Amino acid sequence: MTRQQLFDKIKEKESFLCVGLDTDLEKIPKHLHSLEDPIFEFNKQIIDATYPYAIAYKPNLAFYEALGSRGLASLEKTMEYMPEDVFTIADAKRGDIGNTSNMYAKAFFENMNFDSVTVTPYMGEDSVTPYLNYSRKWVILLAATSNSGSFDFQEVLIENSSEKLYERVIRTSATWSNPNNMMYVVGATRPESLVGVRALVPDHFLLIPGVGAQGGSLSQVCKYGMNRQCGLIVNSSRGIIYAGNGADFAQQAATAAKEVQVQMAAELQKHFG
């Protein structure tokens, strides 16, 4: 999916919602546990229910890897089931030397056919380049995350500079490629950071976690982060997929997703008319 196609899909659905598939066997409805593959069945019903309101889906690899081979099998089936016109994100947060990154890129882009993968950039350019070598695929670099520990390193000032570490990471990594195949992760609980991020990468898309269960404000994210092609993919995981835990869990997820989509439509109308 190109940047223009992504923007077209946002306009079509009046949404920039990403549904995070952080599927936890202990949290999904109990009635699914008797099925052959409860994880896939849960994901399938969530996708069916939220598809009218979402432009992207983001499976978190940890939840599948924790289950071993059966979890990875569930993930593969989930990816095979994905509608062709949604943007898929492998939330893997990989970061390693180039040779290993080549294998990670092959796993996510060739074998599982994800559109994008989250990558930590702290090992430098050669650890990221293998992902950028794939045509029509995206790398999403961790920049300013929303967890409390992010302040341990990301906010540290570079010596003899007024620049913070995460700002240096963004400024440097932006020279490795362009807005057509690179995005950045910026947490919704740090909307003030979006001003500085946008000054550094005005045209890039940003993946924004933290809206919903983590308390991030969608209106603040849009105020400080939206650009001329929207430039935002806002993720919600627990607030949508675990909106209900009974037989109607999928309908509850649809209701939660629609509520977010309605807010997003209003923000798009405000910014684009």
Side-chain angles (χ1 to χ4, degrees):
M1 188 176 288
T2 66
R3 184 160 56 122
Q4 184 60 50
Q5 288 171 330
L6 191 52
F7 184 42
D8 289 343
K9 185 58 61 175
I10 289 170
K11 291 186 292 184
E12 175 190 329
K13 288 194 172 182
E14 295 183 294
S15 172
F16 41 98
L17 173 63
C18 173
V19 174
L21 296 175
D22 299 2
T23 308
D24 186 340
L25 195 59
E26 295 184 3
K27 292 182 179 179
I28 67 174
K30 299 299 182 185
H31 72 274
L32 297 177
H33 287 207
S34 61
L35 301 177
E36 180 181 354
D37 191 341
I39 295 292
F40 171 65
E41 184 59 35
F42 178 83
N43 287 349
K44 177 179 177 293
Q45 292 194 41
I46 291 291
I47 292 167
D48 288 344
T50 59
Y51 171 73
Y53 316 110
I55 59 136
Y57 290 88
K58 182 175 71 64
N60 185 322
L61 268 292
F63 288 86
Y64 303 89
E65 292 171 336
L67 298 175
S69 59
R70 67 182 181 127
L72 292 175
S74 299
L75 176 60
E76 289 178 357
K77 285 195 284 186
T78 298
M79 289 304 298
E80 290 170 0
Y81 187 76
M82 284 285 182
E84 291 186 0
D85 64 341
V86 297
F87 187 74
T88 54
I89 302 168
D91 190 3
K93 301 180 180 71
R94 298 299 195 250
D96 213 321
I97 61 173
N99 188 46
T100 306
S101 290
N102 271 315
M103 294 297 103
Y104 282 141
K106 182 176 182 178
F108 296 121
F109 292 155
E110 294 184 31
N111 294 343
M112 294 189 186
N113 199 31
F114 278 97
D115 294 309
S116 64
V117 60
T118 58
V119 174
T120 177
Y122 285 88
M123 288 187 71
E125 182 177 5
D126 60 330
S127 70
V128 176
T129 299
Y131 302 96
L132 297 170
N133 288 334
Y134 281 80
S135 175
R136 299 174 70 86
K137 299 292 186 179
W138 295 74
V139 61
I140 307 178
L141 296 183
L142 299 180
T145 58
S146 56
N147 60 301
S148 59
S150 65
F151 292 91
D152 291 344
F153 301 115
Q154 294 171 24
E155 296 282 340
V156 172
L157 287 174
I158 303 293
E159 190 174 1
N160 300 320
S161 169
S162 61
E163 191 174 41
K164 295 176 181 178
L165 179 58
Y166 81 86
E167 294 171 328
R168 175 69 62 87
V169 168
I170 293 172
R171 184 168 62 81
T172 301
S173 62
T175 67
W176 301 342
S177 190
N178 59 68
N180 294 317
N181 66 348
M182 184 181 285
M183 303 184 190
Y184 291 93
V185 176
V186 180
T189 56
R190 296 169 62 176
E192 71 286 347
S193 300
L194 286 167
V195 177
V197 170
R198 273 294 174 228
L200 292 166
V201 283
D203 298 322
H204 287 69
F205 263 85
L206 305 177
L207 174 62
I208 312 286
V211 168
Q214 295 183 47
S217 165
L218 180 64
S219 62
Q220 290 291 297
V221 165
C222 293
K223 178 180 178 180
Y224 296 117
M226 198 169 275
N227 66 15
R228 59 196 176 99
Q229 284 191 312
C230 179
L232 299 174
I233 299 176
V234 172
N235 181 77
S236 179
S237 300
R238 289 170 290 169
I240 290 177
I241 68 174
Y242 299 131
N245 60 4
D248 65 342
F249 75 93
Q251 292 87 341
Q252 293 292 329
T255 298
K258 183 176 182 179
E259 288 177 0
V260 177
Q261 183 271 324
V262 168
Q263 296 174 45
M264 289 179 169
E267 292 293 338
L268 288 168
Q269 177 66 27
K270 186 189 308 181
H271 284 81
F272 296 101

